[in-house]
């Protein structure tokens, strides 16, 4: 897993705050490199923004840039998930997601709600009528990613990016790889009882570490 939080003044004179979590896909030769490349390419691209467009548009552009850069550098040897949150000094903010790292909305009143949808084969099949449980089990496809950053065999335009606006997380946002949300079935309960945002972070990191 790789993460970064950056605040940059872009070429368009706008100040952006960017938070990114990338989880190199297990089983790929260079998942760690893919995660690192994805993050660095997004920060570098954000710095060069010349025109002012919506943060939703920027979020999509950053992920497509990362997808292109990782595929070009690693030729399919490494892929990664990516979850990001971006805010502009004007007050605009958005989140975006590819893979099974997640975006959650959090507030003391509304508690924790998953905003993103995991890009898994299982979730893709839910869109097709029928009972696919036997197929998933027989082929070992449960939990298998349906897409990731840097895959070979497709173009950057084929990447499906899920974008979320400020209304989806009016108070706070939590980004986490599956190293967080798979750590314990009690993850959401632990966060729900947090008194403030700092407590959310402290508890989630501690829980993931306790569970390895």
């Amino acid at each position: 897993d790789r993460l970064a939080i950056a605040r940059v003044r872009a070429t368009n004179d706008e100040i952006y705050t960017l938070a990114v979590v990338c989880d190199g896909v297990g089983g790929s030769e260079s998942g760690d490199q893919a995660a690192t490349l994805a993050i660095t390419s997004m920060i570098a691209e954000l710095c060069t923004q010349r025109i002012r467009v919506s943060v939703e548009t920027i979020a999509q552009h950053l992920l497509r840039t990362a997808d292109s850069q990782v595929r070009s550098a690693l030729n399919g040897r490494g892929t990664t998930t990516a979850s990001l949150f971006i805010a502009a000094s004007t007050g605009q903010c958005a989140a975006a997601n590819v893979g099974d790292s997640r975006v959650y909305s959090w507030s003391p009143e509304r508690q924790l709600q998953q905003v993103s949808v995991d890009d898994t084969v299982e979730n893709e099949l839910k869109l097709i009528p029928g009972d696919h449980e036997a197929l998933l089990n027989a082929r070992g496809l449960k939990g298998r990613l349906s897409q990731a950053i840097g895959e070979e065999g497709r173009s950057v335009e084929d990447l499906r990016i899920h974008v979320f606006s400020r209304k989806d997380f009016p108070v706070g946002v939590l980004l986490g790889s599956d190293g967080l949300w798979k750590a314990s079935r009690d993850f959401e309960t632990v966060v729900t009882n947090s008194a403030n945002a700092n407590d959310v972070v402290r508890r989630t990191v501690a829980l993931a570490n306790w569970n390895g």
Side-chain angles (χ1 to χ4, degrees):
D1 296 6
R2 299 289 185 269
L3 66 89
I5 300 175
R7 180 166 292 163
V8 304
R9 182 183 292 276
T11 306
N12 62 13
D13 283 333
E14 179 64 85
I15 297 173
Y16 296 102
T17 300
L18 177 70
V20 188
V21 169
C22 288
D23 179 6
V25 176
S28 62
E29 179 183 343
S30 304
D32 55 345
Q33 294 181 46
T36 301
L37 281 168
I39 286 180
T40 54
S41 66
M42 282 189 268
I43 294 174
E45 186 66 18
L46 182 59
C47 292
T48 63
Q49 291 297 303
R50 291 180 172 81
I51 59 175
R52 298 198 179 202
V53 295
S54 70
V55 288
E56 289 88 354
T57 298
I58 294 174
Q60 294 184 68
H61 176 64
L62 295 182
L63 287 172
R64 294 195 190 282
T65 297
D67 183 55
S68 178
Q69 292 288 336
V70 172
R71 182 165 46 256
S72 175
L74 298 180
N75 295 314
R77 297 191 309 276
T79 58
T80 183
T81 69
S83 296
L84 69 82
F85 170 81
I86 183 171
S89 56
T90 56
Q92 296 183 66
C93 61
N97 189 75
V98 172
D100 65 352
S101 292
R102 289 180 177 179
V103 180
Y104 291 90
S105 173
W106 178 84
S107 72
E109 297 81 19
R110 296 178 60 192
Q111 306 303 336
L112 188 72
Q113 295 180 329
Q114 183 180 344
V115 174
S116 61
V117 177
D118 300 340
D119 286 321
T120 61
V121 174
E122 187 174 2
N123 282 338
E124 296 285 345
L125 288 176
K126 287 179 181 177
L127 302 176
I128 304 173
D131 183 2
H132 307 289
E133 191 74 15
L135 173 63
L136 290 167
N137 291 329
R139 298 294 179 90
L141 295 175
K142 266 204 163 179
R144 182 76 60 86
L145 288 178
S146 58
Q147 66 167 2
I149 297 289
E151 293 173 307
E152 277 194 307
R154 63 162 174 76
S155 70
V156 67
E157 288 78 19
D158 295 327
L159 186 68
R160 302 181 309 281
I161 300 172
H162 312 282
V163 182
F164 312 98
S165 61
R166 182 166 191 157
K167 65 179 176 57
D168 293 310
F169 37 88
V171 177
V173 60
L174 175 67
L175 308 179
S177 72
D178 63 1
L180 171 64
W181 60 264
K182 282 184 180 177
S184 171
R185 287 179 299 176
D186 298 324
F187 157 64
E188 296 187 6
T189 302
V190 169
V191 175
T192 295
N193 293 323
S194 300
N196 53 54
N198 285 338
D199 202 28
V200 170
V201 175
R202 181 184 62 81
R203 289 184 180 208
T204 52
V205 172
L207 182 65
N209 287 334
W210 290 339
N211 286 279

